[in-house]
Amino acid sequence: MIQNQLHNQNRLPARTPANPATTARAGAAVRFEGVVKDFAGHRALAHFDLTLHPGELVALLGPSGSGKTTALRVLAGLEATDAGSILIDGVDVGALPTSRRDLGMVFQSYSLFPHLSAGENVEFGLRMRKVRGEERRARAAAALALVGLDAHYDRFAHQLSGGQQQRVALARALVTEPRVLLLDEPLSALDAKVRVALREEIRRIQTELGITTLFVTHDQDEALAVADRVAVMRAGSIEQVGAPEELYTRPASPFIADFVGLSNQLIGRVLHGFAQVHGAKLPLLDPSQADGRVTVSVRPEDLELGREGAPGVVLSSSFHGSLRRTTVRLEDGSSLVVQHDVRLRPTVGDQVGVTFTGAPVSVDPIPAPI
Amino acid sequence: MASVRPVAHTPTWPVRGFILGSIGLVFAIPIVAMVEFTLRRGLAGGHDFSRWTALFQGGFTGPYRTVLVALGNSVGLAMGTVAIMLLLLVPTLLLVHLRFPRLRRLMEFVCILPISIPAIVLVVGLAPVYSVLARVAGSGVWTLSFAYGVTVLPFAYRAIQANLDGVDVRTLSEAARTLGAGWGSVLVRVLIPNLRRGILAGAFIAVAVVLGEFTIASLLNRITLQTSLLVVSKADPYTAVILSLLALTFAFLLLLVIGRLGLVRTGRRRPTTGGQS
């Protein structure tokens, strides 16, 4: 598939179909089944289960130490699992060394081989697969063209910017037409503008090639922007997995609500299928929630600033281009962030009222004191 | 507004000339003195090339032939020592770096240890080892390379470790493995090319140490360049100095060749043109 794409874009001569190293194929299905990984007493992966469908881009999102990079590394074979299995297209690859798993990987730190030019870096994987000279160079040039760096074939890593180096690393990972593409926070070392441009480029290429991709990131914007599905990790296992919109609008827990987008954590009660907080009665995302004290997660955009509602004092207000966020301290001492129109410009110390729009909320029960 | 003078990062020409001149003098004075000594005509006074021409016209025959043999021994020992360093030290350092990083302190201690032990003490410990070695593998000169392998360890370790610290060996090897390279290819195609500077520096030092080593060879009764020069100097000090000068030139050329190997295709001096994109 990738090669078809490369051919289409660069009018390369068709390759010999008999060569197994260059045969185009669709993305593979990947399945983690109860994977456990311990590091010196610390459980990095706790019965980790995840399925990647062929051609899908799944972002693994989570705070530092949640085990997302470990999950990617065990799939790559760079770490051995302590229990569970990893299947690619239904075949357990646990016993296969990294070099035989047929994966492409882009690392967080710049990983181009410094002694080789950009073109030779891209050729490396093909050389390992014993692809002959002329075809190897043509495919490397085509892969570099795919990431817009065909003019940089002879440049060395130290002659390229960070963004260019990661593009070459992406070309290097893709040129062998791997079954799965692994991206280990590939954009985290880049500045904001380059990061946004490159993540869109990654998404474009991934969609065009249809390659199954696991994208590890701690940046929620990045995950929501590029992924077909986002899997949020916490303490070594998946907390929730779903489409970006689903995660944002229907978070399974206050942790997800807090981690994916901004949210206010307020103390309230559940009574007869509704959350009651600061005098408001809000529908629940999970109506089966039992009555009792709970932590209620409310998005800043689900609050309104005005004269009505819960009274409070403006603590700060910040401008974010198309919107403004204002922090208000309520009479009970709790603070919450309200997102509103930029034309409304509250100043510090203003007496304001906060009302709820009535959007459904997720709640987390507060254990009763023993 | 007054213009701001740029901060000087390099010394001015006179300062540079003074520093280089001073260092040059330190090296040049003994060499010039040696050359002058070999040109003396003895008690009659004056200078000529008679001792140089006599040595070369004689074709290094008689007692001087030993020096050529000894030179061959020393070069062979240097190569053996470098081979031991490459085959033992480099893979061990990589293994410790990649798989057993907790052993690094111990490794450093073991490698640095020989520098704190005087050669004479080292020989006392090595003598019984070599008496066993002689029974097993004979008492050829080449066996000295094991002892030299130990003596060059601190210098070679430092050179290679410094290079190792400057390269992200873990990421490079992982990148190569995900691209389909086995450990052999990772070592040969990725790690060694990126550690070339350190390995060459280690080899450089190993050759220099072996060519200049006297104590261990003498006390273990092996014939090397240094021990043979001592024998010649007892019979003819003038010729010994000529041979020392020739040995010095040979070592210089040898190290120059090794140094040139390190300059092959690094691509490091090309101008940087890439911006963030």
Side-chain angles (χ1 to χ4, degrees):
Chain A
M1 191 180 287
I2 174 176
Q3 197 57 35
N4 294 341
Q5 185 65 41
L6 299 182
H7 286 160
N8 293 341
Q9 289 203 348
N10 301 283
R11 295 187 179 83
L12 292 179
R15 288 172 302 150
T16 315
N19 187 342
T22 57
T23 306
R25 59 188 155 209
V30 178
R31 192 177 178 88
F32 292 85
E33 287 183 349
V35 176
V36 174
K37 176 67 187 173
D38 293 324
F39 287 114
H42 166 69
R43 180 147 289 189
L45 290 179
H47 302 283
F48 179 80
D49 293 299
L50 180 66
T51 300
L52 281 76
H53 305 299
E56 183 183 39
L57 193 158
V58 173
L60 263 186
L61 181 66
S64 296
S66 58
K68 52 191 189 299
T69 293
T70 305
L72 181 131
R73 288 176 64 82
V74 295
L75 172 56
L78 297 171
E79 303 286 353
T81 55
D82 293 323
S85 52
I86 297 170
L87 299 102
I88 299 180
D89 277 341
V91 178
D92 192 339
V93 295
L96 280 181
T98 303
S99 56
R100 291 179 57 199
R101 291 198 182 188
D102 195 13
L103 307 166
M105 186 161 171
V106 180
F107 293 80
Q108 181 178 3
S109 52
Y110 302 135
S111 62
L112 294 189
F113 306 132
H115 64 297
L116 300 178
S117 69
E120 288 166 334
N121 261 281
V122 179
E123 283 183 45
F124 187 90
L126 298 173
R127 195 182 285 274
M128 291 301 105
R129 286 161 176 77
K130 304 196 187 313
V131 178
R132 294 166 71 90
E134 204 170 312
E135 182 189 346
R136 195 174 65 227
R137 280 185 287 278
R139 287 176 63 180
L144 279 175
L146 190 69
V147 295
L149 289 177
D150 42 336
H152 294 65
Y153 197 99
D154 294 322
R155 295 269 181 94
F156 285 83
H158 67 280
Q159 297 170 314
L160 300 170
S161 67
Q164 288 171 332
Q165 287 192 48
Q166 289 303 68
R167 281 166 198 258
V168 175
L170 182 63
R172 184 177 68 176
L174 289 170
V175 75
T176 56
E177 299 166 27
R179 294 190 290 178
V180 184
L181 177 64
L182 307 176
L183 305 171
D184 184 9
E185 305 202 35
L187 311 176
S188 60
L190 308 176
D191 66 51
K193 209 170 177 180
V194 179
R195 202 157 58 223
V196 171
L198 195 48
R199 84 182 182 202
E200 284 169 6
E201 196 159 335
I202 287 173
R203 181 54 166 161
R204 172 184 65 81
I205 292 169
Q206 188 273 334
T207 309
E208 285 174 5
L209 302 179
I211 185 169
T212 309
T213 303
L214 187 59
F215 189 139
V216 164
T217 180
H218 64 268
D219 184 334
Q220 44 148 319
D221 287 341
E222 208 165 272
L224 297 178
V226 301
D228 292 310
R229 285 191 302 147
V230 178
V232 183
M233 285 190 73
R234 185 187 192 186
S237 56
I238 300 282
E239 184 89 353
Q240 186 181 0
V241 59
E245 296 83 358
E246 184 188 339
L247 245 69
Y248 193 82
T249 55
R250 301 183 65 82
S253 67
F255 169 78
I256 302 288
D258 192 36
F259 197 75
V260 181
L262 287 173
S263 80
N264 296 291
Q265 306 291 318
L266 305 169
I267 303 298
R269 290 192 72 81
V270 167
L271 196 63
H272 307 311
F274 285 89
Q276 296 186 338
V277 59
H278 289 295
K281 191 176 173 186
L282 306 171
L284 294 171
L285 283 168
D286 177 13
S288 64
Q289 183 69 45
D291 290 357
R293 267 166 60 84
V294 290
T295 304
V296 184
S297 298
V298 184
R299 299 275 184 208
E301 62 268 30
D302 294 336
L303 295 169
E304 285 175 348
L305 205 62
R307 298 198 179 279
E308 307 296 319
V313 180
V314 172
L315 289 181
S316 64
S317 187
S318 55
F319 176 68
H320 295 272
S322 58
L323 55 93
R324 190 181 284 276
R325 288 198 187 106
T326 298
T327 306
V328 177
R329 186 166 63 210
L330 301 179
E331 283 182 338
D332 67 350
S334 62
S335 296
L336 42 77
V337 179
V338 185
Q339 186 171 305
H340 56 85
D341 196 295
V342 282
R343 286 167 292 187
L344 189 62
R345 292 175 186 163
T347 53
V348 176
D350 280 358
Q351 295 287 332
V352 293
V354 178
T355 50
F356 293 79
T357 61
V361 293
S362 64
V363 296
D364 199 24
I366 298 172
I370 299 167
Chain B
M1 198 167 85
S3 64
V4 180
R5 287 185 61 187
V7 179
H9 293 289
T10 52
T12 56
W13 270 108
V15 175
R16 241 187 286 183
F18 176 75
I19 293 170
L20 288 175
S22 303
I23 293 169
L25 272 177
V26 169
F27 282 99
I29 288 173
I31 294 171
V32 171
M34 286 170 78
V35 173
E36 191 273 337
F37 179 71
T38 62
L39 299 178
R40 285 182 192 174
R41 277 199 303 193
L43 294 175
H47 296 83
D48 62 23
F49 285 94
S50 57
R51 296 181 203 284
W52 285 81
T53 49
L55 180 66
F56 282 101
Q57 280 172 353
F60 284 94
T61 52
Y64 307 132
R65 177 138 194 88
T66 322
V67 178
L68 282 182
V69 174
L71 179 64
N73 287 346
S74 283
V75 171
L77 278 172
M79 289 166 66
T81 308
V82 169
I84 286 174
M85 188 196 79
L86 290 179
L87 296 176
L88 206 66
L89 187 60
V90 174
T92 309
L93 277 178
L94 284 170
L95 200 64
V96 167
H97 195 87
L98 289 172
R99 303 299 291 268
F100 308 106
R102 287 184 181 183
L103 291 177
R104 185 175 160 176
R105 293 269 176 210
L106 178 66
M107 179 84 185
E108 188 170 4
F109 175 75
V110 169
C111 289
I112 299 296
L113 204 55
I115 208 169
S116 61
I117 302 172
I120 187 88
V121 177
L122 207 59
V123 171
V124 171
L126 285 172
V129 176
Y130 268 84
S131 66
V132 175
L133 188 68
R135 283 198 293 274
V136 177
S139 56
V141 181
W142 65 272
T143 54
L144 261 188
S145 56
F146 295 122
Y148 286 167
V150 175
T151 56
V152 302
L153 207 54
F155 311 105
Y157 168 79
R158 275 282 164 223
I160 298 167
Q161 186 63 48
N163 196 172
L164 210 52
D165 290 337
V167 176
D168 189 353
V169 172
R170 179 176 295 275
T171 305
L172 292 184
S173 60
E174 287 180 353
R177 283 162 63 204
T178 58
L179 290 166
W183 276 110
S185 295
V186 171
L187 190 69
V188 174
R189 290 182 182 275
V190 177
L191 298 184
I192 288 178
N194 283 295
L195 296 175
R196 188 179 52 206
R197 285 182 176 197
I199 290 170
L200 278 172
F204 206 82
I205 295 167
V207 170
V209 168
V210 172
L211 289 183
E213 206 287 325
F214 171 79
T215 315
I216 295 174
S218 174
L219 293 173
L220 290 177
N221 294 320
R222 304 296 199 275
I223 297 169
T224 65
L225 181 65
Q226 297 302 324
T227 58
S228 69
L229 286 178
L230 182 72
V231 172
V232 172
S233 71
K234 284 179 180 169
D236 182 355
Y238 292 101
T239 309
V241 174
I242 291 174
L243 291 170
S244 292
L245 282 168
L246 291 174
L248 203 63
T249 311
F250 173 77
F252 176 74
L253 291 174
L254 190 65
L255 296 180
L256 206 65
V257 169
I258 296 172
R260 293 295 297 176
L261 291 175
L263 297 176
V264 179
R265 197 181 173 279
T266 59
R268 293 233 166 248
R269 295 196 179 278
R270 296 188 193 182
T272 302
T273 53
Q276 284 278 354
S277 68

